[in-house]
């Protein structure tokens, strides 16, 4: 094959025969190589400052470097095109989530006859300055299948849109990988707090179908109380979780990213294969976002690896799955305990979430013992569980159960225009009509008139029935349906108002525009 470097032991044979006076043609015939190959190596040996004897005494790698190193590559127009773009690629590579493969795909789209990915990477690395590397003691082949799980949080967040408010909610992304097979896992959680962190980790165990013996974590506050290269202090919740599943937690040394280099690399993969591919999609819940992340991670684990004939999933199922410890029957959940007083609104206030939870109204003013996990809030009073709610995370909001509310509270929360119309009709037909027309002519939200309706119902209770009926009839006649107008009529005892025949009172709401002025009330 043209351009292929010969084995140096074969080259030494050529040089030795040449030293003995054998012609290049004869050397080629005896060693079964092309004559031009012999010519090329003999010419290089003659140009070399060292003599033939000195060259023959060199070790093979040294001789190879002298015979092949430092020669210009064959001219190629593709390189002239690529050379002008290398500086641009170098700058683009500094941007988030951009990889050499992404740049190559853009390059090959513009230059269909350009270099392959391997040659593209080679020329790019030749262009950049080599940096001094510290030899690593981390060898992938030394990882025992099923022994370790590396975990970390991605530096960048993802987001979804709260469908009720339209608010954009930022979420953290938990990333984990099994180092022996590079099998990956990722999911979004609301924060890096201990309970969200533990939930993500236990979800990872469920996805793996087992528990590794060792968890190697970053020095997260949710996992490590005090960082130390030799004896770090583990968070108590993390220790409880490890004891529950029968594994141990070993944090990586601080400022030693190579201790967990594979998960750091997996974070970059997640940026490229999850973040980048989902960047134009909109999500309306964290559950919907996690389903999309799971789909992308499944595709990643099922993608054929570059230097292997199998996928990460196939490798994991073949070598690691059976080595994992079995899952426990009950999933571990972080429990928090607190004592709170039931407020006058019939709710306890959980300050951690700034959220209210209802309690049966008969317990107003009593002390409650509250146990809450990531998903459930249980409220105990005098040893009895009086309320159980799904945990809510919306600040300032209420989680209510209708049966917990007192009758007056229920009525207050269930107010509506029809509610007031029905109440008005129940006590006086004219009052019902006034309230109905009040809402029918409204040009502002109906809630604006609720207090006025309450005032009319109170006036009805404390006013002489005949006087109140006359005031309502007058309001209907003059199409003045507000509380203030009826209150003034009652205070004046309808002075100056003549007897009103029923025929004068409109039985249906007038269809013409309601235009009033001073002339209407003379």
């Amino acid at each position: 094959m043209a351009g292929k470097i010969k084995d140096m032991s074969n080259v030494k044979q050529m040089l030795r025969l040449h030293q003995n006076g054998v012609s290049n043609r004869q050397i080629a015939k005896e060693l079964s190589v092309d004559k031009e190959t012999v010519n090329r190596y003999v010419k290089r040996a003659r140009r070399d400052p060292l003599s033939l004897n000195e060259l023959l005494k060199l070790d093979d790698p040294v001789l190879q470097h002298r015979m092949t190193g430092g020669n210009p590559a064959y001219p190629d127009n593709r390189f002239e095109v690529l050379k002008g773009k290398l500086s641009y690629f170098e700058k683009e590579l500094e941007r988030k989530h951009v990889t050499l493969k992404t740049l190559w795909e853009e390059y090959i789209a513009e230059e269909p006859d350009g270099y392959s990915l391997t040659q593209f990477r080679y020329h790019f690395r030749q262009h950049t300055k080599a940096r001094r590397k510290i030899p690593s003691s981390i060898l992938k082949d030394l990882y025992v299948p099923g022994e370790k799980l590396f975990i970390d949080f991605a530096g960048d967040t993802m987001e979804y849109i709260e469908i009720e408010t339209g608010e954009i909610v930022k979420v953290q992304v938990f990333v984990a990988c099994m180092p022996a097979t590079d099998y990956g896992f990722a999911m979004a959680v609301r924060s890096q707090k201990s309970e969200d962190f533990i939930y993500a980790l236990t979800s990872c165990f469920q996805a793996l179908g087992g528990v590794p013996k060792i968890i190697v974590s970053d020095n997260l506050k949710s996992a490590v109380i005090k960082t130390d290269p030799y004896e770090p202090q583990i968070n108590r919740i993390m220790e409880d979780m490890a004891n529950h599943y029968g594994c141990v937690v070993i944090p990586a040394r601080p400022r030693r990213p190579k201790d967990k280099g594979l998960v750091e690399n997996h974070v970059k993969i997640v940026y490229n294969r999850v973040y980048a591919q989902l960047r134009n999609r909109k999500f309306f819940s964290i559950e919907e976002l996690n389903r999309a992340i799971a789909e992308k991670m499944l595709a990643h684990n099922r993608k054929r690896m570059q230097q292997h004939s199998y996928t990460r999933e196939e490798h994991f199922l073949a070598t690691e799955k059976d080595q994992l410890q079995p899952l426990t029957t009950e999933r571990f959940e972080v429990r928090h305990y607190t004592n709170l007083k039931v407020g006058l609104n019939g709710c306890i206030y959980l300050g951690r979430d700034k959220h209210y939870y209802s309690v049966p109204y008969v317990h107003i003013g009593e002390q409650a013992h509250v146990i809450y996990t990531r998903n459930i809030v249980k409220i105990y009073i005098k040893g009895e569980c009086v309320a159980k709610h799904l945990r809510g995370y919306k600040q300032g909001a209420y989680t209510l159960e209708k049966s917990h509310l007192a009758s007056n509270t229920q009525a207050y929360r269930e107010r509506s225009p029809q509610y007031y119309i029905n109440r008005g009709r129940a006590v006086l037909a004219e009052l019902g009509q006034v309230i109905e027309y009040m809402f029918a002519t409204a040009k502002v939200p109906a809630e604006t008139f609720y207090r006025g309706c309450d005032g009319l119902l109170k006036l009805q209770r404390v006013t002489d029935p005949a006087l109140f009926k006359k005031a309502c009839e007058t309001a209907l006649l003059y199409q003045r349906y507000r509380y203030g107008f009826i209150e003034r009529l009652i205070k004046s005892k309808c002075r100056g108002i003549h007897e009103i025949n029923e025929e004068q009172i409109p039985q249906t709401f007038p269809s013409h525009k309601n235009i009033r002025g001073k002339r209407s009330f003379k």
Side-chain angles (χ1 to χ4, degrees):
M1 179 179 175
K4 186 175 181 181
I5 297 172
K6 285 290 182 184
D7 189 84
M8 287 301 106
S9 62
N10 195 242
V11 173
K12 285 182 177 180
Q13 291 290 310
M14 297 178 197
L15 297 181
R16 200 174 298 279
L17 289 170
H18 175 73
Q19 188 182 34
N20 294 335
V22 181
S23 68
N24 290 355
R25 186 183 298 273
Q26 188 62 28
I27 293 172
K29 185 177 180 180
E30 290 188 11
L31 297 181
S32 300
V33 296
D34 187 77
K35 188 183 68 139
E36 290 303 318
T37 302
V38 178
N39 291 341
R40 185 170 66 252
Y41 280 108
V42 169
K43 286 179 182 178
R44 289 177 181 176
R46 286 176 178 172
R47 288 197 298 264
D48 196 284
L50 298 179
S51 65
L52 282 176
N53 285 330
E54 289 173 325
L55 288 173
L56 290 169
K57 290 178 182 178
L58 295 175
D59 292 333
D60 287 0
V62 179
L63 179 61
Q64 180 176 328
H65 179 72
R66 299 185 77 89
M67 291 290 104
T68 60
N71 294 303
Y74 58 88
D76 191 339
N77 292 331
R78 294 179 300 173
F79 182 74
E80 296 301 317
V81 175
L82 178 64
K83 186 169 64 174
K85 299 183 178 183
L86 288 174
S87 297
Y88 164 76
F89 291 148
E90 192 173 6
K91 290 180 181 178
E92 286 297 296
L93 201 59
E94 296 175 359
R95 298 176 64 179
K96 285 185 177 181
H97 317 322
V98 178
T99 64
L100 268 178
K101 187 173 182 182
T102 304
L103 295 174
W104 173 78
E105 289 171 349
E106 294 175 0
Y107 157 76
I108 207 67
E110 294 178 2
E111 302 290 337
D113 297 326
Y115 285 114
S116 67
L117 178 59
T118 303
Q119 285 295 308
F120 178 88
R121 285 175 171 165
Y122 170 80
H123 288 298
F124 180 85
R125 286 166 184 161
Q126 288 291 97
H127 171 75
T128 57
K129 293 182 179 180
R131 295 181 182 177
R132 189 175 172 221
K133 299 288 184 180
I134 299 173
S136 173
S137 60
I138 307 300
L139 301 176
K140 184 175 179 180
D141 290 344
L142 297 182
Y143 290 122
V144 178
E147 182 184 46
K148 291 183 178 180
L149 176 71
F150 288 177
I151 58 176
D152 200 0
F153 276 100
D156 293 342
T157 59
M158 296 188 79
E159 63 188 32
Y160 69 92
I161 301 171
E162 182 64 51
I163 197 166
E164 294 181 356
T165 63
E167 177 188 3
I168 296 176
V169 182
K170 301 286 186 181
V171 292
Q172 304 291 326
V173 177
F174 171 88
V175 181
C177 79
M178 300 292 293
T181 58
D182 206 28
Y183 187 81
F185 173 85
M187 77 173 295
V189 288
R190 291 182 176 87
S191 70
Q192 292 189 21
K193 293 179 181 178
S194 295
E195 56 187 322
D196 287 326
F197 172 64
I198 295 295
Y199 175 74
L201 185 54
T202 54
S203 296
C204 179
F205 292 161
Q206 297 290 329
L208 295 174
V211 182
K213 299 176 181 65
I214 300 172
I215 310 297
V216 181
S217 74
D218 197 0
N219 287 276
L220 306 166
K221 290 184 179 180
S222 50
V224 180
I225 299 173
K226 182 181 178 182
T227 60
D228 189 274
Y230 308 107
E231 291 187 358
Q233 295 182 19
I234 308 300
N235 187 308
R236 175 61 186 274
I237 295 175
M238 192 70 173
E239 285 183 338
D240 290 344
M241 185 279 303
N243 292 331
H244 179 84
Y245 286 106
C247 58
V248 296
V249 180
I250 303 178
R253 293 174 296 173
R255 296 179 297 278
R256 293 292 188 275
K258 289 186 178 181
D259 284 7
K260 51 180 179 61
L262 284 178
V263 74
E264 296 283 358
N265 183 61
H266 232 88
V267 169
K268 295 178 183 177
I269 292 174
V270 169
Y271 285 154
N272 184 254
R273 297 186 178 176
V274 178
Y275 282 59
Q277 294 185 23
L278 297 179
R279 67 188 184 278
N280 294 324
R281 290 179 58 181
K282 302 294 183 184
F283 302 96
F284 297 95
S285 70
I286 194 170
E287 293 79 15
E288 183 184 356
L289 174 59
N290 273 324
R291 284 194 294 271
I293 292 174
E295 289 174 4
K296 295 301 179 183
M297 288 305 297
L298 181 62
H300 158 67
N301 286 322
R302 289 180 175 176
K303 190 172 186 178
R304 194 75 59 194
M305 300 173 75
Q306 286 187 351
Q307 299 179 2
H308 302 283
S309 60
Y310 47 79
T311 66
R312 291 174 175 83
E313 184 180 56
E314 290 169 344
H315 196 192
F316 170 75
L317 295 174
T319 62
E320 285 204 288
K321 181 70 180 290
D322 294 338
Q323 303 301 319
L324 297 173
Q325 301 176 103
L327 290 165
T328 55
T329 53
E330 293 184 3
R331 184 168 176 170
F332 178 80
E333 277 197 314
V334 180
R335 289 189 172 192
H336 299 279
Y337 304 87
T338 186
N339 294 315
L340 300 171
K341 187 176 181 179
V342 182
L344 292 176
N345 60 357
C347 298
I348 55 107
Y349 176 68
L350 191 59
R352 185 186 183 103
D353 301 328
K354 296 182 174 61
H355 196 92
Y356 293 88
Y357 297 91
S358 67
V359 178
Y361 70 94
V362 295
H363 298 293
I364 288 175
E366 295 183 9
Q367 282 293 125
H369 182 63
V370 182
I371 302 175
Y372 60 98
T373 66
R374 186 178 184 278
N375 299 310
I376 299 294
V377 176
K378 293 183 179 180
I379 304 169
Y380 294 83
I381 294 178
K382 297 178 182 178
E384 180 185 359
C385 182
V386 297
K388 181 179 178 181
H389 299 281
L390 291 175
R391 188 171 174 186
Y393 291 91
K394 188 176 179 181
Q395 294 187 3
Y398 287 78
T399 297
L400 303 173
E401 189 173 321
K402 187 175 179 180
S403 61
H404 292 170
L405 306 178
S407 58
N408 60 336
T409 305
Q410 288 188 39
Y412 182 81
R413 292 186 62 82
E414 292 173 356
R415 291 180 303 170
S416 67
Q418 192 59 46
Y419 167 80
Y420 283 110
I421 292 169
N422 292 340
R423 285 195 62 185
R425 287 174 177 169
V427 294
L428 186 66
E430 288 79 4
L431 177 58
Q433 279 185 290
V434 168
I435 295 174
E436 183 177 2
Y437 291 159
M438 180 192 297
F439 287 114
T441 59
K443 295 182 180 180
V444 293
E447 289 80 359
T448 308
F449 300 106
Y450 287 175
R451 294 180 68 177
C453 292
D454 289 330
L456 289 176
L457 291 167
K458 183 178 180 181
L459 274 179
Q460 185 272 329
R461 291 195 297 272
V462 299
T463 306
D464 176 70
L467 177 59
F468 187 78
K469 181 178 179 180
K470 188 175 182 180
C472 289
E473 290 173 344
T474 303
L476 291 169
L477 178 63
Y478 290 103
Q479 301 174 15
R480 300 284 301 277
Y481 312 113
R482 302 298 292 271
Y483 167 80
F485 178 73
I486 296 176
E487 183 189 35
R488 288 192 294 272
L489 287 175
I490 291 173
K491 285 182 177 180
S492 66
K493 296 184 179 180
C494 294
R495 188 177 296 111
I497 303 298
H498 303 291
E499 290 296 325
I500 301 172
N501 299 323
E502 287 195 12
E503 291 78 9
Q504 294 178 279
I505 301 174
Q507 299 301 312
T508 58
F509 184 72
S511 60
H512 61 78
K513 291 185 178 180
N514 187 12
I515 302 174
R516 298 188 300 272
K518 292 181 179 180
R519 290 176 300 173
S520 302
F521 302 99
K522 289 182 180 179

